[in-house]
Amino acid sequence: MNVRLLLALLSMALVAAARPVTAETSRTVKVGVRGNIEATLYTPDGPGPFASAIVIHTSQGLVEADRQYCAALAREGFQCVVPAFLRAYGIRQDIKEIAFTTDREAILADFRQVVDMMNGLPNARAGAGYQRALHER
């Protein structure tokens, strides 16, 4: 067997072994300071601890692609939540600039609570972060 081919196969095997591919479970939770934000929590199978991520949807609101992105992160070993925060505040496209100004502090407090909730889950590795959806519509 050619040495280059052997090295290429070995490299591919190492990359595949380094990426945890697991199933995930999901459930609906209420988050936010007042518990008024519906969110979907995705958790990888296994005991953890898992790094945490918060997926924040675009200004168009929560769509299925956001949930799919969160589920994909869970399959890669992240505990992930995607809150429908615009819906909780009644923010629509035509009033979003005003709403983000008037509701800014309340929205920030809600996201702080979500970070605390993620860090407080029993199988969480401390240090939840966030990732804005990578797709724009």
Side-chain angles (χ1 to χ4, degrees), residues 6-67:
L6 181 60
L7 288 174
L9 290 173
L10 182 58
S11 294
M12 290 183 341
L14 288 172
V15 169
R19 296 179 63 204
V21 178
T22 63
E24 86 283 344
T25 58
S26 67
R27 64 185 169 106
T28 301
V29 296
K30 293 288 190 170
V31 298
V33 173
R34 296 174 302 189
N36 65 324
I37 301 174
E38 185 176 294
T40 307
L41 175 65
Y42 294 85
T43 306
D45 286 345
F50 303 114
S52 299
I54 301 167
V55 172
I56 301 173
H57 59 70
T58 67
S59 63
Q60 294 183 354
L62 183 63
V63 296
E64 187 56 31
D66 300 317
R67 288 187 183 93

Side-chain angles (χ1 to χ4, degrees), residues 49-115:
F50 303 114
S52 299
I54 301 167
V55 172
I56 301 173
H57 59 70
T58 67
S59 63
Q60 294 183 354
L62 183 63
V63 296
E64 187 56 31
D66 300 317
R67 288 187 183 93
Q68 291 172 1
Y69 180 64
C70 212
L73 287 173
R75 286 190 299 276
E76 293 297 324
F78 289 86
Q79 190 162 246
C80 186
V81 67
V82 57
F85 75 95
L86 289 183
R87 189 178 334 145
Y89 283 89
I91 299 173
R92 304 180 318 266
Q93 284 290 335
D94 60 329
I95 63 165
K96 69 182 177 188
E97 287 183 34
I98 295 168
F100 280 127
T101 301
T102 58
D103 295 323
R104 178 182 181 272
E105 292 303 317
I107 291 170
L108 289 174
D110 284 335
F111 278 110
R112 284 187 207 97
Q113 186 279 331
V114 174
V115 169

